[in-house]
Amino acid sequence: MGIIDNINKLFDHRIRLGIMSILMVYEDADFNRLKELLNLTDGNLASHVKALEQAEYILVQKSFVGRKPNTRYSATKLGKAEFIKHIQALEKLLNKNKEN
Amino acid sequence: MGIIDNINKLFDHRIRLGIMSILMVYEDADFNRLKELLNLTDGNLASHVKALEQAEYILVQKSFVGRKPNTRYSATKLGKAEFIKHIQALEKLLNKNKEN
DNA sequence: TAATTTAACTTTGTAATTCAAAGTACTTTA
DNA sequence: TAAAGTACTTTGAATTACAAAGTTAAATTA
């Protein structure tokens, strides 16, 4: 088993990593907040959240805020667990052989 | 400026991240060591080290060890500096808003 | 000396990924 | 009624990733 095998390929991209790290800090974030924080086009954001949604790492909730449609995203239990595993794999990789 | 803009695209891939993290810990590593540690095919490893070499993040040194050809890779000053910047950007992203 | 092996690639070709831009549907605001 | 906002989907081009096979050159083994 290689040392990078525990790195989750879905998180091995700055945008999805960014989305998840935002959703680890905030309970939820809506489409436009993510778009602004990550500086993305609509289509690009949509495709990345879709990938995370299909993996069931995030939950999508549609509603109306006032009269406007609003889509909120939040990390699922699975998503949070996988994200933590990913970070631990990253840390392990980066701190490799500091002691042994 | 988005919060992921300081993530170096060259390092935004588990294999190249793995190569660099190895070369941050060890002065150098040869082709077969990297191949084994990262569990890669020859061609795949060759293409990733080439990308890092072209960016001048790693240095390639060919020699003979005993009677066998041997290719050693080491991180350049630039590579080390960029890697550290990348890790700091990662940490910043992952610890986002822990205090503010 | 001929065949095989090892090291480190390069080439090839396919598949997947990424992304901007444009298009869509619906609603609301001017 | 026109323009703008929300959240997409579609399109298409470019890039990237990867395994597998081929290559080169030297070394070893038969």
Side-chain angles (χ1 to χ4, degrees):
Chain A
M1 205 226 323
I3 60 174
I4 55 176
D5 295 350
N6 288 324
I7 290 186
N8 190 322
K9 278 192 190 180
L10 245 186
F11 296 144
D12 197 13
H13 187 281
R14 69 203 181 289
I15 293 179
R16 292 186 298 271
L17 194 72
I19 293 170
M20 284 306 296
S21 77
I22 290 166
L23 297 181
M24 291 297 283
V25 173
Y26 301 105
E27 261 314 296
D28 51 57
D30 67 21
F31 191 88
N32 281 318
R33 177 136 181 73
L34 289 181
K35 198 176 90 169
E36 179 202 359
L37 283 173
L38 298 167
N39 199 27
L40 304 173
T41 56
D42 288 7
N44 198 8
L45 175 56
S47 70
H48 286 294
V49 293
K50 194 186 196 178
L52 291 170
E53 193 195 353
Q54 281 172 344
E56 295 184 62
Y57 287 179
I58 65 173
L59 182 72
V60 182
Q61 284 164 297
K62 285 158 188 294
S63 67
F64 278 81
V65 168
R67 306 295 183 108
K68 291 182 184 172
N70 183 265
T71 304
R72 275 179 309 140
Y73 303 94
S74 55
T76 63
K77 220 169 188 178
L78 174 64
K80 286 179 184 175
E82 290 299 320
F83 187 71
I84 287 167
K85 278 204 291 186
H86 175 77
I87 291 174
Q88 283 168 352
L90 262 187
E91 279 171 355
K92 204 171 166 188
L93 177 66
L94 298 176
N95 297 325
K96 214 179 65 61
N97 291 72
K98 245 184 195 153
E99 50 270 2
N100 62 315
Chain B
M1 207 224 325
I3 60 172
I4 54 175
D5 294 350
N6 288 324
I7 290 185
N8 189 324
K9 278 191 191 179
L10 246 186
F11 296 144
D12 197 14
H13 187 281
R14 70 203 179 291
I15 293 179
R16 291 186 299 269
L17 195 71
I19 293 169
M20 283 305 294
S21 76
I22 290 167
L23 296 181
M24 291 298 281
V25 173
Y26 301 106
E27 262 313 297
D28 51 57
D30 66 22
F31 191 87
N32 281 317
R33 178 137 180 74
L34 289 180
K35 198 177 92 169
E36 179 202 359
L37 283 173
L38 298 167
N39 199 27
L40 303 173
T41 56
D42 288 8
N44 198 9
L45 174 55
S47 72
H48 286 295
V49 291
K50 193 184 194 179
L52 291 170
E53 193 196 351
Q54 280 173 346
E56 295 184 63
Y57 287 181
I58 64 174
L59 181 72
V60 182
Q61 284 164 297
K62 285 158 187 292
S63 65
F64 277 82
V65 168
R67 306 297 184 106
K68 291 181 183 171
N70 183 266
T71 305
R72 275 178 310 140
Y73 303 95
S74 55
T76 62
K77 220 168 187 178
L78 174 65
K80 287 180 183 175
E82 290 299 320
F83 188 71
I84 287 168
K85 279 204 290 186
H86 176 77
I87 291 174
Q88 284 168 352
L90 263 187
E91 279 171 356
K92 203 171 168 188
L93 176 66
L94 298 176
N95 297 326
K96 214 179 66 62
N97 291 72
K98 247 182 193 154
E99 51 270 4
N100 63 313

